[in-house]
């Protein structure tokens, strides 16, 4: 009877893309470690320490270790080994590290947030600006409330976002459909709302600069659209970043730039599990294969 191959062994247990990702990681592991068939626990720990030096993202290391564990499962299954050298070895992941991408919103769902009426004159225009900055540029609440009128360049069609303690500065393009909305708000609605001497872009109905809590309060009435999900400015931003990476297939470096992330590891957390990007992530750090 012909012995089952490693690839066949993986395909029996995983979806084709996951099996392909694991096989890729195993092949690299074997290339770097020709004597891996006889490795013990300390050898695997040493290899994972080498991986950690190249990539701090624990999700990436979890994928690598999971693949290696399946390799030794295969050796046990085929009778080459009677023991499993790393069965109990695990990667510690901080509780707040994973992004539960399945709980986020699609681009289509986010569009529903723009269909909202208000009781107050001029508020529709302001809300459309705030929501569009959340949905199209993925800005954080504090970035929105700190925007100044001069940060919007209608001639160039851009918005300049200042750096903060956690995020980099960046200049982002406005979509064509945002231009009329911004022009109407800046030139018509905002002057009528204004009751204080401020150059802040976003103004409340009382004429004062909007706060982060006010942005949250603006989103509150929209929660009924998604009773089974957590809707807030933070999850909107997270959804936008996730959609850039997984649906629009933008390069990781581009998404990092758009989101203002200081470190690529922050952006990598938004990769969807078992997606093609998982292999691309591995390939980026092991281009030799």
């Amino acid at each position: 009877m012909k012995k089952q191959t490693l690839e066949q062994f993986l395909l029996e247990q995983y979806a084709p893309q996951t099996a392909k990702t694991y096989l890729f990681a195993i092949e690299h592991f074997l290339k770097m470690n020709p004597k891996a068939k006889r490795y013990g626990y300390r050898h695997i720990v040493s290899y994972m320490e080498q991986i950690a030096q190249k990539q701090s993202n624990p999700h990436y290391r979890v994928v690598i270790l999971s693949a290696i564990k399946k390799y030794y499962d295969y050796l046990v299954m085929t009778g080459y080994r009677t023991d499993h050298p790393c069965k109990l070895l695990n990667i510690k992941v901080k509780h707040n590290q994973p992004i539960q991408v399945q709980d986020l919103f699609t681009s289509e769902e986010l569009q529903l947030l723009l269909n909202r009426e208000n009781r107050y004159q001029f508020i529709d225009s302001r809300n459309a600006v705030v929501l569009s900055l959340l949905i199209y540029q993925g800005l954080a609440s504090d970035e929105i409330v700190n925007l100044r009128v001069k940060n919007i360049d209608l001639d160039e069609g851009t918005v300049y976002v200042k750096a903060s303690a956690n995020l980099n500065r960046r200049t982002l393009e406005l979509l064509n459909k945002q231009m009329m909305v911004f022009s109407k708000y800046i030139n018509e609605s905002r002057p009528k709302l204004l009751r204080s001497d401020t150059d802040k872009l976003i103004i409340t109905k009382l004429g004062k600069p909007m706060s982060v809590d006010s942005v949250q309060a603006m989103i509150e009435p929209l929660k009924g659209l998604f009773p089974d999900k957590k809707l807030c400015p933070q999850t909107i931003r997270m959804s936008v970043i996730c959609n850039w990476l997984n649906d629009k297939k933008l390069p990781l470096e581009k998404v990092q730039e758009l989101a203002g992330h200081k470190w690529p590891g922050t952006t990598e957390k938004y990769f969807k599990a078992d997606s093609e990007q998982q292999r691309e992530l591995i390939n980026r750090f092991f281009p030799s294969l």
Side-chain angles (χ1 to χ4, degrees):
M1 182 177 177
K2 191 175 180 180
K3 186 172 72 173
Q4 188 181 40
T5 66
L6 175 60
E7 184 175 8
Q8 290 169 339
F9 176 71
L10 294 171
L11 284 169
E12 275 189 353
Q13 302 174 60
Y14 299 104
Q17 185 54 55
T18 303
K20 189 176 181 181
T21 298
Y22 279 16
L23 187 61
F24 180 86
I26 292 169
E27 287 174 348
H28 180 78
F29 171 63
L30 296 177
K31 182 178 180 181
M32 302 301 293
N33 302 273
K35 299 180 180 179
K37 280 188 177 181
R38 299 187 296 276
Y39 269 9
Y41 180 84
R42 63 182 180 83
H43 295 103
I44 311 301
V45 170
S46 177
Y47 179 73
M48 294 309 301
E49 287 175 349
Q50 294 174 35
I51 296 296
Q53 291 174 2
K54 296 179 180 179
Q55 173 52 257
S56 60
N57 181 8
H59 283 300
Y60 170 83
R61 304 202 306 275
V62 166
V63 172
I64 300 297
L65 181 57
S66 297
I68 292 173
K69 283 185 175 183
K70 294 316 295 184
Y71 167 66
Y72 287 106
D73 281 343
Y74 173 72
L75 293 185
V76 171
M77 187 274 296
T78 55
Y80 188 88
R81 293 186 65 139
T82 58
D83 65 316
H84 192 301
C86 57
K87 195 173 188 67
L88 300 179
L89 180 61
N90 290 299
I91 302 295
K92 290 184 179 180
V93 179
K94 294 180 181 178
H95 180 68
N96 63 349
Q97 186 74 12
I99 301 296
Q100 300 300 322
V101 294
Q102 71 276 7
D103 296 333
L104 299 180
F105 301 90
T106 65
S107 297
E108 292 74 19
E109 288 175 325
L110 292 177
Q111 286 292 323
L112 297 176
L113 302 178
L114 292 171
N115 302 324
R116 175 188 177 176
E117 296 181 358
N118 293 280
R119 296 176 297 157
Y120 304 101
Q121 192 177 15
F122 313 125
I123 297 298
D124 271 335
S125 178
R126 184 210 64 192
N127 284 359
V129 167
V130 173
L131 285 169
S132 73
L133 287 169
L134 285 168
I135 293 169
Y136 298 129
Q137 281 74 39
L139 297 193
S141 295
D142 59 335
E143 292 181 318
I144 292 175
V145 300
N146 285 320
L147 285 175
R148 286 168 165 73
V149 175
K150 66 180 181 181
N151 296 143
I152 306 298
D153 189 331
L154 293 175
D155 292 329
E156 294 294 326
T158 60
V159 51
Y160 172 74
V161 185
K162 291 178 63 177
S164 65
N166 299 317
L167 298 171
N168 289 328
R169 67 180 181 180
R170 55 212 188 273
T171 299
L172 303 172
E173 292 185 9
L174 296 171
L175 302 184
N176 288 335
K177 55 187 170 184
Q178 290 179 277
M179 297 300 292
M180 187 174 295
V181 173
F182 274 72
S183 178
K184 179 181 178 181
Y185 172 68
I186 291 172
N187 297 313
E188 299 177 24
S189 302
R190 185 181 178 278
K192 293 176 181 178
L193 284 170
L194 202 58
R195 296 289 184 275
S196 61
D197 184 18
T198 179
D199 64 345
K200 289 288 185 69
L201 176 67
I202 308 300
I203 305 298
T204 69
K205 64 178 182 288
L206 299 178
K208 298 180 179 181
M210 181 176 270
S211 67
V212 169
D213 288 341
S214 297
V215 177
Q216 174 67 48
M218 198 189 89
I219 300 298
E220 198 73 24
L222 301 173
K223 289 185 175 182
L225 289 170
F226 308 103
D228 299 326
K229 291 185 178 182
K230 182 181 179 181
L231 180 66
C232 64
Q234 182 184 14
T235 56
I236 293 174
R237 170 175 160 79
M238 292 166 66
S239 299
V240 172
I241 296 170
C242 182
N243 293 335
W244 282 338
L245 200 57
N246 297 287
D247 298 337
K248 293 190 176 181
K249 309 289 186 187
L250 297 183
L252 183 138
E253 291 79 6
K254 179 63 175 177
V255 175
Q256 180 188 351
E257 177 187 343
L258 291 173
H261 292 154
K262 293 182 181 292
W263 308 105
T266 306
T267 313
E268 287 164 1
K269 292 190 297 183
Y270 290 85
F271 277 119
K272 287 183 178 178
D274 302 332
S275 68
E276 180 66 25
Q277 283 91 342
Q278 261 191 337
R279 175 171 175 139
E280 291 174 1
L281 175 59
I282 294 172
N283 192 39
R284 191 158 70 85
F285 289 94
F286 299 119
S288 59
L289 286 182

